[in-house]
Structure formats: structure tokens, C-alpha cells
Amino acid sequence: MSSTIKNRSIVLAVRPTGVPGNDCWSEVSGPVQGVAEGEVMVRVIYVSIDPAMRGWITDQASYLSPVAIGGTMRALGIGQVVESRNKDYVEGDYVSGMLGVQDYATLTPDASLLKVDPALAPLPTQLGLLGMPGMTAYFGLLEVGQPKAGETLLVSGAAGAVGALVGQIAKIHGMRVVGVAGGKEKCDFLINNLGFDAAIDYKSEPDLSEAVQRTCPEGINLFFDNVGGDILAAAIKNLAHASRIVICGAISQYNTADTVKAEVDYIPILYSSSSLQGFVVLDYASRYGEAVVALKQWMTDGLVRPHEDIREGLENFPETLNALFTGKHFGKLILKLSASN
């Protein structure tokens, strides 16, 4: 069967400097790799577009090795098994894992390739709320951030896949939630649709520190940062006593990492007896099942809502990825590659 199938894939042509341009990518097409004993071939239906992708194409040490020049772009995805020579998988199974930006992935299943129940939730939601963004929000907030009822949470990138969930989970735990997002539409969505208590439009505020002080008059007890840069600096100036800063990401600096040094004024952290901690969600991989159960129940109860921005077409990967860095997306960004059953 596999010999009759053609595969398209997006490969890394050159490493980017700054925002990845179209010249960084090549679309290649050819026969799919044959399915050897123990392997499966998966038709990729959706791939997750994540800020971490920018780090994966930089030739720097990270929690994962860089994507090789000429290699298929790494991406979390969901697809359907179309051919199997592995006893644990049959044709028709839905799976999620590192499938890459390609029409078909041929691989040897390991612990990272998970079977997916399409009846649990729509497939895009299983890449978002019930996928890696959900895991990141769940463990980053509950395990690292240690939320307490009555405290004030400030979350940056609040209209994004992780930030929106962080705010909703914090509300479940009795926190007052303030989100930082770009544009009136996104800020209104946070308040009117997701139940945030206040929102800061960083694009329209001349003084971010003043805006944080205005919306968090008692100071920030917990700051969940997905952005870094000026927003992190403004938050640090407005910390309450014994506050916690959770560093989840720094999307404002991913495309300037080669030319800009990230600086943190740690003096207010010292004076307020506060803490700053980074984390990688892979550290909690053995507990993902726990998070899925909780998030699914909250979704069923209407306490958290999925919000997805789904684009289409493998050939549109470059511009879809860059939408992350320009703010031209709204919700969990997903690229649909093929029709699902």
C-alpha cells in the first residue's frame, strides 16, 4: 500500500535570523517511507503550531535537539493509522505525537505516541485544551505557581493557547485574574467570554507598569509569563510580598535571541521576598493522564472553554508559524493538513 502513496513535507532549508522567512523552508514531495516490522504509517490530519518551534530550528542547546537542516519540521500532531506492522496498532487508530509537518509519518511507536479517542473531544481540542497547551497550563499553574484563593494572578499572552487556560483554571481556584493581550477584541474576549476580571491591552498602553498597577492595586501574587520583555519588567515592578513568577515562555524574544540580551531587574524580587521559576512541561509527562481527566471534566462542566484558530494547507505552514510572533492569531493555532473521517 505504502508504495502508492506520495508524501509532502516541510523541511528546514536554512536556520533563520530573526523572524523565519519563506527561504527557511522547502516543500518536498516523494514516495512515503516503507513500513518496516514494528512500524506504523500515520496520515497526519492536524499539526500544532507552537512558540517552541522557533527554538527547535535554532542551533542552540535546548531540552530537544535542533531540527536538522534538510530535516522534516518537528511538530506535535494528530493523525490516523493507515498501515501497521505493529501489534499494538491497527488501521483506523487515531494517534497523537511528534508527527512532523508532513502528510504521512512512518515511525516506530514509543511512549510518546498516544492513542486518541475521537469521541473524547474534537481532534483540534485534543491538540489544544487536552493537548500540550493544556498540560502546560495545568502543571505550570497548579504545580509551579501554587495558586491560592483570593490572590491576584497576572498572565501574559492571555489570549493564547496556554494563557487563556491558565486564567480559566485560576478562576476555578478562586483567584482574581488579570490578562495581558494585544488588542481590544482579545481583551474583551478574556473578560466577556472567559470570565477574567480585567485585561490590559499592551498595544494601547503607554506605560505598562502603570497599567499593571491600575489593574492589580494590591500587587501581583502570581505572574504567569508567556512573553518576557517589557511585560515581565512591568510585572516585576508590581509584585506583592512573597509572590511567585512562573516563566513558561518568552515569545517576545524568540526572534531576537541572537541579538538581544534578556535582562531581569531582580532587585524588586529580592525586596518583596518573591521567587522566579522556569519549567518545561515534559518534566510532568508521567502525569499527563491526570491533567486530561481534570481538564475534560472542567470542559464538560463549562468551566474551561477551548478556543482554536485553525488554518488549512501544508503549504501555508511558514505564514501560519509567523502568525504566532505577529499576534495575527486568536486562540490555539492549528494547521489542518488533511480531511478527517
Side-chain angles (χ1 to χ4, degrees), residues 141 147 151-155 163 166-171 175-179 196 198 216 219-224 244:
L141 179 68
E151 290 187 332
T152 293
L153 165 76
L154 180 71
V155 54
V166 166
Q168 292 176 84
I169 297 170
K171 290 298 295 182
M175 300 192 78
R176 179 177 180 272
V177 175
V178 179
F196 282 43
C216 305
I220 302 165
N221 302 108
L222 175 57
F223 177 45
F224 194 103
R244 289 91 63 207

mmCIF file with all atom_site columns, all heavy atoms in Angstrom, residues 141 147 151-155 163 166-171 175-179 196 198 216 219-224 244:
data_model
loop_
_atom_site.group_PDB
_atom_site.id
_atom_site.type_symbol
_atom_site.label_atom_id
_atom_site.label_alt_id
_atom_site.label_comp_id
_atom_site.label_asym_id
_atom_site.label_entity_id
_atom_site.label_seq_id
_atom_site.pdbx_PDB_ins_code
_atom_site.Cartn_x
_atom_site.Cartn_y
_atom_site.Cartn_z
_atom_site.occupancy
_atom_site.B_iso_or_equiv
_atom_site.pdbx_formal_charge
_atom_site.auth_seq_id
_atom_site.auth_comp_id
_atom_site.auth_asym_id
_atom_site.auth_atom_id
_atom_site.pdbx_PDB_model_num
ATOM 1   N N   . LEU A 1 141 ? 0.601   26.190 36.247 1.00 0.00 ? 141 LEU A N   1
ATOM 2   C CA  . LEU A 1 141 ? -0.138  26.960 37.253 1.00 0.00 ? 141 LEU A CA  1
ATOM 3   C C   . LEU A 1 141 ? -0.232  26.219 38.578 1.00 0.00 ? 141 LEU A C   1
ATOM 4   O O   . LEU A 1 141 ? 0.125   26.757 39.637 1.00 0.00 ? 141 LEU A O   1
ATOM 5   C CB  . LEU A 1 141 ? -1.544  27.279 36.742 1.00 0.00 ? 141 LEU A CB  1
ATOM 6   C CG  . LEU A 1 141 ? -2.410  28.057 37.731 1.00 0.00 ? 141 LEU A CG  1
ATOM 7   C CD1 . LEU A 1 141 ? -1.883  29.475 37.927 1.00 0.00 ? 141 LEU A CD1 1
ATOM 8   C CD2 . LEU A 1 141 ? -3.869  28.088 37.291 1.00 0.00 ? 141 LEU A CD2 1
ATOM 9   N N   . PRO A 1 147 ? -1.410  28.308 43.082 1.00 0.00 ? 147 PRO A N   1
ATOM 10  C CA  . PRO A 1 147 ? -2.420  29.363 43.255 1.00 0.00 ? 147 PRO A CA  1
ATOM 11  C C   . PRO A 1 147 ? -3.159  29.242 44.578 1.00 0.00 ? 147 PRO A C   1
ATOM 12  O O   . PRO A 1 147 ? -3.343  28.134 45.096 1.00 0.00 ? 147 PRO A O   1
ATOM 13  C CB  . PRO A 1 147 ? -3.372  29.120 42.078 1.00 0.00 ? 147 PRO A CB  1
ATOM 14  C CG  . PRO A 1 147 ? -3.250  27.653 41.796 1.00 0.00 ? 147 PRO A CG  1
ATOM 15  C CD  . PRO A 1 147 ? -1.795  27.339 42.041 1.00 0.00 ? 147 PRO A CD  1
ATOM 16  N N   . GLU A 1 151 ? -6.027  35.445 45.831 1.00 0.00 ? 151 GLU A N   1
ATOM 17  C CA  . GLU A 1 151 ? -4.841  36.106 45.293 1.00 0.00 ? 151 GLU A CA  1
ATOM 18  C C   . GLU A 1 151 ? -5.115  36.683 43.907 1.00 0.00 ? 151 GLU A C   1
ATOM 19  O O   . GLU A 1 151 ? -6.098  36.332 43.251 1.00 0.00 ? 151 GLU A O   1
ATOM 20  C CB  . GLU A 1 151 ? -3.678  35.114 45.200 1.00 0.00 ? 151 GLU A CB  1
ATOM 21  C CG  . GLU A 1 151 ? -3.096  34.685 46.523 1.00 0.00 ? 151 GLU A CG  1
ATOM 22  C CD  . GLU A 1 151 ? -1.844  33.850 46.343 1.00 0.00 ? 151 GLU A CD  1
ATOM 23  O OE1 . GLU A 1 151 ? -1.707  33.177 45.290 1.00 0.00 ? 151 GLU A OE1 1
ATOM 24  O OE2 . GLU A 1 151 ? -1.000  33.871 47.250 1.00 0.00 ? 151 GLU A OE2 1
ATOM 25  N N   . THR A 1 152 ? -4.210  37.544 43.466 1.00 0.00 ? 152 THR A N   1
ATOM 26  C CA  . THR A 1 152 ? -4.291  38.119 42.123 1.00 0.00 ? 152 THR A CA  1
ATOM 27  C C   . THR A 1 152 ? -3.270  37.458 41.214 1.00 0.00 ? 152 THR A C   1
ATOM 28  O O   . THR A 1 152 ? -2.069  37.417 41.532 1.00 0.00 ? 152 THR A O   1
ATOM 29  C CB  . THR A 1 152 ? -4.049  39.636 42.159 1.00 0.00 ? 152 THR A CB  1
ATOM 30  O OG1 . THR A 1 152 ? -5.130  40.273 42.841 1.00 0.00 ? 152 THR A OG1 1
ATOM 31  C CG2 . THR A 1 152 ? -3.963  40.205 40.739 1.00 0.00 ? 152 THR A CG2 1
ATOM 32  N N   . LEU A 1 153 ? -3.766  36.952 40.093 1.00 0.00 ? 153 LEU A N   1
ATOM 33  C CA  . LEU A 1 153 ? -2.915  36.390 39.048 1.00 0.00 ? 153 LEU A CA  1
ATOM 34  C C   . LEU A 1 153 ? -2.848  37.366 37.883 1.00 0.00 ? 153 LEU A C   1
ATOM 35  O O   . LEU A 1 153 ? -3.870  37.866 37.417 1.00 0.00 ? 153 LEU A O   1
ATOM 36  C CB  . LEU A 1 153 ? -3.482  35.062 38.540 1.00 0.00 ? 153 LEU A CB  1
ATOM 37  C CG  . LEU A 1 153 ? -2.898  34.553 37.206 1.00 0.00 ? 153 LEU A CG  1
ATOM 38  C CD1 . LEU A 1 153 ? -1.505  33.975 37.412 1.00 0.00 ? 153 LEU A CD1 1
ATOM 39  C CD2 . LEU A 1 153 ? -3.811  33.538 36.543 1.00 0.00 ? 153 LEU A CD2 1
ATOM 40  N N   . LEU A 1 154 ? -1.648  37.631 37.395 1.00 0.00 ? 154 LEU A N   1
ATOM 41  C CA  . LEU A 1 154 ? -1.445  38.321 36.125 1.00 0.00 ? 154 LEU A CA  1
ATOM 42  C C   . LEU A 1 154 ? -0.867  37.298 35.162 1.00 0.00 ? 154 LEU A C   1
ATOM 43  O O   . LEU A 1 154 ? 0.116   36.627 35.488 1.00 0.00 ? 154 LEU A O   1
ATOM 44  C CB  . LEU A 1 154 ? -0.489  39.504 36.280 1.00 0.00 ? 154 LEU A CB  1
ATOM 45  C CG  . LEU A 1 154 ? -0.206  40.301 34.996 1.00 0.00 ? 154 LEU A CG  1
ATOM 46  C CD1 . LEU A 1 154 ? -1.439  41.110 34.585 1.00 0.00 ? 154 LEU A CD1 1
ATOM 47  C CD2 . LEU A 1 154 ? 0.998   41.225 35.180 1.00 0.00 ? 154 LEU A CD2 1
ATOM 48  N N   . VAL A 1 155 ? -1.470  37.167 33.975 1.00 0.00 ? 155 VAL A N   1
ATOM 49  C CA  . VAL A 1 155 ? -0.965  36.219 32.980 1.00 0.00 ? 155 VAL A CA  1
ATOM 50  C C   . VAL A 1 155 ? -0.754  36.960 31.669 1.00 0.00 ? 155 VAL A C   1
ATOM 51  O O   . VAL A 1 155 ? -1.639  37.666 31.183 1.00 0.00 ? 155 VAL A O   1
ATOM 52  C CB  . VAL A 1 155 ? -1.917  35.008 32.815 1.00 0.00 ? 155 VAL A CB  1
ATOM 53  C CG1 . VAL A 1 155 ? -3.346  35.434 32.511 1.00 0.00 ? 155 VAL A CG1 1
ATOM 54  C CG2 . VAL A 1 155 ? -1.406  34.063 31.729 1.00 0.00 ? 155 VAL A CG2 1
ATOM 55  N N   . GLY A 1 163 ? -2.093  30.778 27.905 1.00 0.00 ? 163 GLY A N   1
ATOM 56  C CA  . GLY A 1 163 ? -2.522  31.851 28.786 1.00 0.00 ? 163 GLY A CA  1
ATOM 57  C C   . GLY A 1 163 ? -4.009  31.840 29.073 1.00 0.00 ? 163 GLY A C   1
ATOM 58  O O   . GLY A 1 163 ? -4.441  32.076 30.212 1.00 0.00 ? 163 GLY A O   1
ATOM 59  N N   . VAL A 1 166 ? -4.675  29.094 31.553 1.00 0.00 ? 166 VAL A N   1
ATOM 60  C CA  . VAL A 1 166 ? -4.156  29.451 32.874 1.00 0.00 ? 166 VAL A CA  1
ATOM 61  C C   . VAL A 1 166 ? -5.164  30.334 33.612 1.00 0.00 ? 166 VAL A C   1
ATOM 62  O O   . VAL A 1 166 ? -5.481  30.112 34.777 1.00 0.00 ? 166 VAL A O   1
ATOM 63  C CB  . VAL A 1 166 ? -2.798  30.169 32.757 1.00 0.00 ? 166 VAL A CB  1
ATOM 64  C CG1 . VAL A 1 166 ? -2.412  30.846 34.070 1.00 0.00 ? 166 VAL A CG1 1
ATOM 65  C CG2 . VAL A 1 166 ? -1.711  29.177 32.345 1.00 0.00 ? 166 VAL A CG2 1
ATOM 66  N N   . GLY A 1 167 ? -5.676  31.350 32.908 1.00 0.00 ? 167 GLY A N   1
ATOM 67  C CA  . GLY A 1 167 ? -6.635  32.240 33.540 1.00 0.00 ? 167 GLY A CA  1
ATOM 68  C C   . GLY A 1 167 ? -7.905  31.532 33.961 1.00 0.00 ? 167 GLY A C   1
ATOM 69  O O   . GLY A 1 167 ? -8.434  31.772 35.061 1.00 0.00 ? 167 GLY A O   1
ATOM 70  N N   . GLN A 1 168 ? -8.409  30.640 33.120 1.00 0.00 ? 168 GLN A N   1
ATOM 71  C CA  . GLN A 1 168 ? -9.645  29.923 33.446 1.00 0.00 ? 168 GLN A CA  1
ATOM 72  C C   . GLN A 1 168 ? -9.450  28.957 34.621 1.00 0.00 ? 168 GLN A C   1
ATOM 73  O O   . GLN A 1 168 ? -10.311 28.842 35.503 1.00 0.00 ? 168 GLN A O   1
ATOM 74  C CB  . GLN A 1 168 ? -10.136 29.168 32.212 1.00 0.00 ? 168 GLN A CB  1
ATOM 75  C CG  . GLN A 1 168 ? -10.609 30.084 31.091 1.00 0.00 ? 168 GLN A CG  1
ATOM 76  C CD  . GLN A 1 168 ? -10.989 29.303 29.846 1.00 0.00 ? 168 GLN A CD  1
ATOM 77  O OE1 . GLN A 1 168 ? -12.100 28.803 29.719 1.00 0.00 ? 168 GLN A OE1 1
ATOM 78  N NE2 . GLN A 1 168 ? -10.052 29.193 28.910 1.00 0.00 ? 168 GLN A NE2 1
ATOM 79  N N   . ILE A 1 169 ? -8.315  28.270 34.641 1.00 0.00 ? 169 ILE A N   1
ATOM 80  C CA  . ILE A 1 169 ? -8.048  27.359 35.754 1.00 0.00 ? 169 ILE A CA  1
ATOM 81  C C   . ILE A 1 169 ? -7.859  28.140 37.051 1.00 0.00 ? 169 ILE A C   1
ATOM 82  O O   . ILE A 1 169 ? -8.294  27.724 38.130 1.00 0.00 ? 169 ILE A O   1
ATOM 83  C CB  . ILE A 1 169 ? -6.815  26.483 35.448 1.00 0.00 ? 169 ILE A CB  1
ATOM 84  C CG1 . ILE A 1 169 ? -7.079  25.599 34.227 1.00 0.00 ? 169 ILE A CG1 1
ATOM 85  C CG2 . ILE A 1 169 ? -6.451  25.612 36.652 1.00 0.00 ? 169 ILE A CG2 1
ATOM 86  C CD1 . ILE A 1 169 ? -5.839  24.885 33.707 1.00 0.00 ? 169 ILE A CD1 1
ATOM 87  N N   . ALA A 1 170 ? -7.223  29.299 36.948 1.00 0.00 ? 170 ALA A N   1
ATOM 88  C CA  . ALA A 1 170 ? -7.043  30.145 38.137 1.00 0.00 ? 170 ALA A CA  1
ATOM 89  C C   . ALA A 1 170 ? -8.388  30.596 38.696 1.00 0.00 ? 170 ALA A C   1
ATOM 90  O O   . ALA A 1 170 ? -8.574  30.659 39.928 1.00 0.00 ? 170 ALA A O   1
ATOM 91  C CB  . ALA A 1 170 ? -6.173  31.346 37.797 1.00 0.00 ? 170 ALA A CB  1
ATOM 92  N N   . LYS A 1 171 ? -9.349  30.918 37.823 1.00 0.00 ? 171 LYS A N   1
ATOM 93  C CA  . LYS A 1 171 ? -10.679 31.300 38.288 1.00 0.00 ? 171 LYS A CA  1
ATOM 94  C C   . LYS A 1 171 ? -11.350 30.143 39.020 1.00 0.00 ? 171 LYS A C   1
ATOM 95  O O   . LYS A 1 171 ? -12.025 30.343 40.039 1.00 0.00 ? 171 LYS A O   1
ATOM 96  C CB  . LYS A 1 171 ? -11.547 31.757 37.113 1.00 0.00 ? 171 LYS A CB  1
ATOM 97  C CG  . LYS A 1 171 ? -11.145 33.083 36.487 1.00 0.00 ? 171 LYS A CG  1
ATOM 98  C CD  . LYS A 1 171 ? -11.239 34.238 37.480 1.00 0.00 ? 171 LYS A CD  1
ATOM 99  C CE  . LYS A 1 171 ? -12.663 34.506 37.929 1.00 0.00 ? 171 LYS A CE  1
ATOM 100 N NZ  . LYS A 1 171 ? -12.739 35.668 38.853 1.00 0.00 ? 171 LYS A NZ  1
ATOM 101 N N   . MET A 1 175 ? -9.032  32.602 42.219 1.00 0.00 ? 175 MET A N   1
ATOM 102 C CA  . MET A 1 175 ? -8.147  33.744 42.081 1.00 0.00 ? 175 MET A CA  1
ATOM 103 C C   . MET A 1 175 ? -8.825  34.897 41.345 1.00 0.00 ? 175 MET A C   1
ATOM 104 O O   . MET A 1 175 ? -9.798  34.704 40.601 1.00 0.00 ? 175 MET A O   1
ATOM 105 C CB  . MET A 1 175 ? -6.876  33.359 41.318 1.00 0.00 ? 175 MET A CB  1
ATOM 106 C CG  . MET A 1 175 ? -6.038  32.271 41.970 1.00 0.00 ? 175 MET A CG  1
ATOM 107 S SD  . MET A 1 175 ? -4.403  32.122 41.187 1.00 0.00 ? 175 MET A SD  1
ATOM 108 C CE  . MET A 1 175 ? -3.549  33.520 41.926 1.00 0.00 ? 175 MET A CE  1
ATOM 109 N N   . ARG A 1 176 ? -8.342  36.098 41.571 1.00 0.00 ? 176 ARG A N   1
ATOM 110 C CA  . ARG A 1 176 ? -8.693  37.245 40.747 1.00 0.00 ? 176 ARG A CA  1
ATOM 111 C C   . ARG A 1 176 ? -7.708  37.251 39.580 1.00 0.00 ? 176 ARG A C   1
ATOM 112 O O   . ARG A 1 176 ? -6.488  37.189 39.796 1.00 0.00 ? 176 ARG A O   1
ATOM 113 C CB  . ARG A 1 176 ? -8.587  38.548 41.539 1.00 0.00 ? 176 ARG A CB  1
ATOM 114 C CG  . ARG A 1 176 ? -8.923  39.790 40.725 1.00 0.00 ? 176 ARG A CG  1
ATOM 115 C CD  . ARG A 1 176 ? -8.885  41.061 41.566 1.00 0.00 ? 176 ARG A CD  1
ATOM 116 N NE  . ARG A 1 176 ? -9.207  42.221 40.718 1.00 0.00 ? 176 ARG A NE  1
ATOM 117 C CZ  . ARG A 1 176 ? -8.306  42.898 40.029 1.00 0.00 ? 176 ARG A CZ  1
ATOM 118 N NH1 . ARG A 1 176 ? -7.017  42.574 40.103 1.00 0.00 ? 176 ARG A NH1 1
ATOM 119 N NH2 . ARG A 1 176 ? -8.674  43.921 39.270 1.00 0.00 ? 176 ARG A NH2 1
ATOM 120 N N   . VAL A 1 177 ? -8.212  37.323 38.344 1.00 0.00 ? 177 VAL A N   1
ATOM 121 C CA  . VAL A 1 177 ? -7.379  37.099 37.168 1.00 0.00 ? 177 VAL A CA  1
ATOM 122 C C   . VAL A 1 177 ? -7.353  38.329 36.271 1.00 0.00 ? 177 VAL A C   1
ATOM 123 O O   . VAL A 1 177 ? -8.405  38.855 35.886 1.00 0.00 ? 177 VAL A O   1
ATOM 124 C CB  . VAL A 1 177 ? -7.875  35.889 36.366 1.00 0.00 ? 177 VAL A CB  1
ATOM 125 C CG1 . VAL A 1 177 ? -7.069  35.729 35.075 1.00 0.00 ? 177 VAL A CG1 1
ATOM 126 C CG2 . VAL A 1 177 ? -7.787  34.624 37.210 1.00 0.00 ? 177 VAL A CG2 1
ATOM 127 N N   . VAL A 1 178 ? -6.144  38.773 35.954 1.00 0.00 ? 178 VAL A N   1
ATOM 128 C CA  . VAL A 1 178 ? -5.922  39.874 35.024 1.00 0.00 ? 178 VAL A CA  1
ATOM 129 C C   . VAL A 1 178 ? -5.081  39.339 33.867 1.00 0.00 ? 178 VAL A C   1
ATOM 130 O O   . VAL A 1 178 ? -4.027  38.726 34.086 1.00 0.00 ? 178 VAL A O   1
ATOM 131 C CB  . VAL A 1 178 ? -5.194  41.054 35.700 1.00 0.00 ? 178 VAL A CB  1
ATOM 132 C CG1 . VAL A 1 178 ? -4.957  42.182 34.700 1.00 0.00 ? 178 VAL A CG1 1
ATOM 133 C CG2 . VAL A 1 178 ? -5.987  41.551 36.909 1.00 0.00 ? 178 VAL A CG2 1
ATOM 134 N N   . GLY A 1 179 ? -5.536  39.557 32.646 1.00 0.00 ? 179 GLY A N   1
ATOM 135 C CA  . GLY A 1 179 ? -4.815  39.070 31.482 1.00 0.00 ? 179 GLY A CA  1
ATOM 136 C C   . GLY A 1 179 ? -4.197  40.202 30.688 1.00 0.00 ? 179 GLY A C   1
ATOM 137 O O   . GLY A 1 179 ? -4.731  41.310 30.644 1.00 0.00 ? 179 GLY A O   1
ATOM 138 N N   . PHE A 1 196 ? -12.368 36.539 32.862 1.00 0.00 ? 196 PHE A N   1
ATOM 139 C CA  . PHE A 1 196 ? -11.283 37.275 33.515 1.00 0.00 ? 196 PHE A CA  1
ATOM 140 C C   . PHE A 1 196 ? -11.865 38.515 34.208 1.00 0.00 ? 196 PHE A C   1
ATOM 141 O O   . PHE A 1 196 ? -12.870 39.080 33.771 1.00 0.00 ? 196 PHE A O   1
ATOM 142 C CB  . PHE A 1 196 ? -10.239 37.710 32.489 1.00 0.00 ? 196 PHE A CB  1
ATOM 143 C CG  . PHE A 1 196 ? -9.294  36.627 32.030 1.00 0.00 ? 196 PHE A CG  1
ATOM 144 C CD1 . PHE A 1 196 ? -9.745  35.340 31.728 1.00 0.00 ? 196 PHE A CD1 1
ATOM 145 C CD2 . PHE A 1 196 ? -7.947  36.902 31.869 1.00 0.00 ? 196 PHE A CD2 1
ATOM 146 C CE1 . PHE A 1 196 ? -8.879  34.360 31.290 1.00 0.00 ? 196 PHE A CE1 1
ATOM 147 C CE2 . PHE A 1 196 ? -7.058  35.926 31.429 1.00 0.00 ? 196 PHE A CE2 1
ATOM 148 C CZ  . PHE A 1 196 ? -7.519  34.652 31.144 1.00 0.00 ? 196 PHE A CZ  1
ATOM 149 N N   . ALA A 1 198 ? -10.156 41.421 34.650 1.00 0.00 ? 198 ALA A N   1
ATOM 150 C CA  . ALA A 1 198 ? -9.667  42.627 33.984 1.00 0.00 ? 198 ALA A CA  1
ATOM 151 C C   . ALA A 1 198 ? -8.675  42.197 32.906 1.00 0.00 ? 198 ALA A C   1
ATOM 152 O O   . ALA A 1 198 ? -8.180  41.065 32.907 1.00 0.00 ? 198 ALA A O   1
ATOM 153 C CB  . ALA A 1 198 ? -8.996  43.576 34.968 1.00 0.00 ? 198 ALA A CB  1
ATOM 154 N N   . CYS A 1 216 ? -3.962  45.819 39.144 1.00 0.00 ? 216 CYS A N   1
ATOM 155 C CA  . CYS A 1 216 ? -3.562  44.971 40.276 1.00 0.00 ? 216 CYS A CA  1
ATOM 156 C C   . CYS A 1 216 ? -3.162  45.872 41.436 1.00 0.00 ? 216 CYS A C   1
ATOM 157 O O   . CYS A 1 216 ? -1.979  45.918 41.840 1.00 0.00 ? 216 CYS A O   1
ATOM 158 C CB  . CYS A 1 216 ? -2.386  44.072 39.882 1.00 0.00 ? 216 CYS A CB  1
ATOM 159 S SG  . CYS A 1 216 ? -2.656  43.055 38.413 1.00 0.00 ? 216 CYS A SG  1
ATOM 160 N N   . GLY A 1 219 ? -1.087  44.608 44.225 1.00 0.00 ? 219 GLY A N   1
ATOM 161 C CA  . GLY A 1 219 ? 0.127   43.918 43.788 1.00 0.00 ? 219 GLY A CA  1
ATOM 162 C C   . GLY A 1 219 ? -0.202  42.562 43.190 1.00 0.00 ? 219 GLY A C   1
ATOM 163 O O   . GLY A 1 219 ? -1.309  42.034 43.315 1.00 0.00 ? 219 GLY A O   1
ATOM 164 N N   . ILE A 1 220 ? 0.790   41.990 42.503 1.00 0.00 ? 220 ILE A N   1
ATOM 165 C CA  . ILE A 1 220 ? 0.642   40.678 41.859 1.00 0.00 ? 220 ILE A CA  1
ATOM 166 C C   . ILE A 1 220 ? 1.119   39.598 42.821 1.00 0.00 ? 220 ILE A C   1
ATOM 167 O O   . ILE A 1 220 ? 2.248   39.645 43.310 1.00 0.00 ? 220 ILE A O   1
ATOM 168 C CB  . ILE A 1 220 ? 1.489   40.617 40.572 1.00 0.00 ? 220 ILE A CB  1
ATOM 169 C CG1 . ILE A 1 220 ? 1.091   41.709 39.597 1.00 0.00 ? 220 ILE A CG1 1
ATOM 170 C CG2 . ILE A 1 220 ? 1.397   39.240 39.922 1.00 0.00 ? 220 ILE A CG2 1
ATOM 171 C CD1 . ILE A 1 220 ? 2.114   41.928 38.496 1.00 0.00 ? 220 ILE A CD1 1
ATOM 172 N N   . ASN A 1 221 ? 0.272   38.631 43.085 1.00 0.00 ? 221 ASN A N   1
ATOM 173 C CA  . ASN A 1 221 ? 0.690   37.486 43.904 1.00 0.00 ? 221 ASN A CA  1
ATOM 174 C C   . ASN A 1 221 ? 1.323   36.387 43.060 1.00 0.00 ? 221 ASN A C   1
ATOM 175 O O   . ASN A 1 221 ? 2.219   35.682 43.516 1.00 0.00 ? 221 ASN A O   1
ATOM 176 C CB  . ASN A 1 221 ? -0.502  36.904 44.662 1.00 0.00 ? 221 ASN A CB  1
ATOM 177 C CG  . ASN A 1 221 ? -1.176  37.913 45.550 1.00 0.00 ? 221 ASN A CG  1
ATOM 178 O OD1 . ASN A 1 221 ? -2.283  38.373 45.255 1.00 0.00 ? 221 ASN A OD1 1
ATOM 179 N ND2 . ASN A 1 221 ? -0.528  38.300 46.643 1.00 0.00 ? 221 ASN A ND2 1
ATOM 180 N N   . LEU A 1 222 ? 0.828   36.251 41.822 1.00 0.00 ? 222 LEU A N   1
ATOM 181 C CA  . LEU A 1 222 ? 1.332   35.216 40.923 1.00 0.00 ? 222 LEU A CA  1
ATOM 182 C C   . LEU A 1 222 ? 1.342   35.764 39.502 1.00 0.00 ? 222 LEU A C   1
ATOM 183 O O   . LEU A 1 222 ? 0.320   36.249 39.005 1.00 0.00 ? 222 LEU A O   1
ATOM 184 C CB  . LEU A 1 222 ? 0.450   33.964 41.006 1.00 0.00 ? 222 LEU A CB  1
ATOM 185 C CG  . LEU A 1 222 ? 0.750   32.807 40.050 1.00 0.00 ? 222 LEU A CG  1
ATOM 186 C CD1 . LEU A 1 222 ? 2.182   32.325 40.191 1.00 0.00 ? 222 LEU A CD1 1
ATOM 187 C CD2 . LEU A 1 222 ? -0.227  31.651 40.303 1.00 0.00 ? 222 LEU A CD2 1
ATOM 188 N N   . PHE A 1 223 ? 2.514   35.733 38.876 1.00 0.00 ? 223 PHE A N   1
ATOM 189 C CA  . PHE A 1 223 ? 2.634   36.161 37.484 1.00 0.00 ? 223 PHE A CA  1
ATOM 190 C C   . PHE A 1 223 ? 3.017   34.961 36.648 1.00 0.00 ? 223 PHE A C   1
ATOM 191 O O   . PHE A 1 223 ? 4.055   34.337 36.865 1.00 0.00 ? 223 PHE A O   1
ATOM 192 C CB  . PHE A 1 223 ? 3.681   37.263 37.345 1.00 0.00 ? 223 PHE A CB  1
ATOM 193 C CG  . PHE A 1 223 ? 3.912   37.706 35.917 1.00 0.00 ? 223 PHE A CG  1
ATOM 194 C CD1 . PHE A 1 223 ? 2.846   37.941 35.060 1.00 0.00 ? 223 PHE A CD1 1
ATOM 195 C CD2 . PHE A 1 223 ? 5.193   37.910 35.433 1.00 0.00 ? 223 PHE A CD2 1
ATOM 196 C CE1 . PHE A 1 223 ? 3.049   38.349 33.745 1.00 0.00 ? 223 PHE A CE1 1
ATOM 197 C CE2 . PHE A 1 223 ? 5.411   38.319 34.132 1.00 0.00 ? 223 PHE A CE2 1
ATOM 198 C CZ  . PHE A 1 223 ? 4.332   38.544 33.284 1.00 0.00 ? 223 PHE A CZ  1
ATOM 199 N N   . PHE A 1 224 ? 2.175   34.620 35.681 1.00 0.00 ? 224 PHE A N   1
ATOM 200 C CA  . PHE A 1 224 ? 2.449   33.515 34.764 1.00 0.00 ? 224 PHE A CA  1
ATOM 201 C C   . PHE A 1 224 ? 2.852   34.137 33.434 1.00 0.00 ? 224 PHE A C   1
ATOM 202 O O   . PHE A 1 224 ? 2.035   34.729 32.732 1.00 0.00 ? 224 PHE A O   1
ATOM 203 C CB  . PHE A 1 224 ? 1.207   32.639 34.593 1.00 0.00 ? 224 PHE A CB  1
ATOM 204 C CG  . PHE A 1 224 ? 1.476   31.312 33.946 1.00 0.00 ? 224 PHE A CG  1
ATOM 205 C CD1 . PHE A 1 224 ? 1.536   30.155 34.712 1.00 0.00 ? 224 PHE A CD1 1
ATOM 206 C CD2 . PHE A 1 224 ? 1.671   31.198 32.576 1.00 0.00 ? 224 PHE A CD2 1
ATOM 207 C CE1 . PHE A 1 224 ? 1.782   28.917 34.128 1.00 0.00 ? 224 PHE A CE1 1
ATOM 208 C CE2 . PHE A 1 224 ? 1.921   29.977 31.982 1.00 0.00 ? 224 PHE A CE2 1
ATOM 209 C CZ  . PHE A 1 224 ? 1.975   28.831 32.758 1.00 0.00 ? 224 PHE A CZ  1
ATOM 210 N N   . ARG A 1 244 ? 5.005   34.852 43.384 1.00 0.00 ? 244 ARG A N   1
ATOM 211 C CA  . ARG A 1 244 ? 5.687   33.847 42.570 1.00 0.00 ? 244 ARG A CA  1
ATOM 212 C C   . ARG A 1 244 ? 5.613   34.262 41.096 1.00 0.00 ? 244 ARG A C   1
ATOM 213 O O   . ARG A 1 244 ? 4.577   34.714 40.628 1.00 0.00 ? 244 ARG A O   1
ATOM 214 C CB  . ARG A 1 244 ? 5.020   32.459 42.707 1.00 0.00 ? 244 ARG A CB  1
ATOM 215 C CG  . ARG A 1 244 ? 5.248   31.787 44.060 1.00 0.00 ? 244 ARG A CG  1
ATOM 216 C CD  . ARG A 1 244 ? 4.162   32.127 45.057 1.00 0.00 ? 244 ARG A CD  1
ATOM 217 N NE  . ARG A 1 244 ? 2.849   31.640 44.637 1.00 0.00 ? 244 ARG A NE  1
ATOM 218 C CZ  . ARG A 1 244 ? 1.701   32.209 45.013 1.00 0.00 ? 244 ARG A CZ  1
ATOM 219 N NH1 . ARG A 1 244 ? 1.682   33.291 45.771 1.00 0.00 ? 244 ARG A NH1 1
ATOM 220 N NH2 . ARG A 1 244 ? 0.543   31.685 44.609 1.00 0.00 ? 244 ARG A NH2 1
#
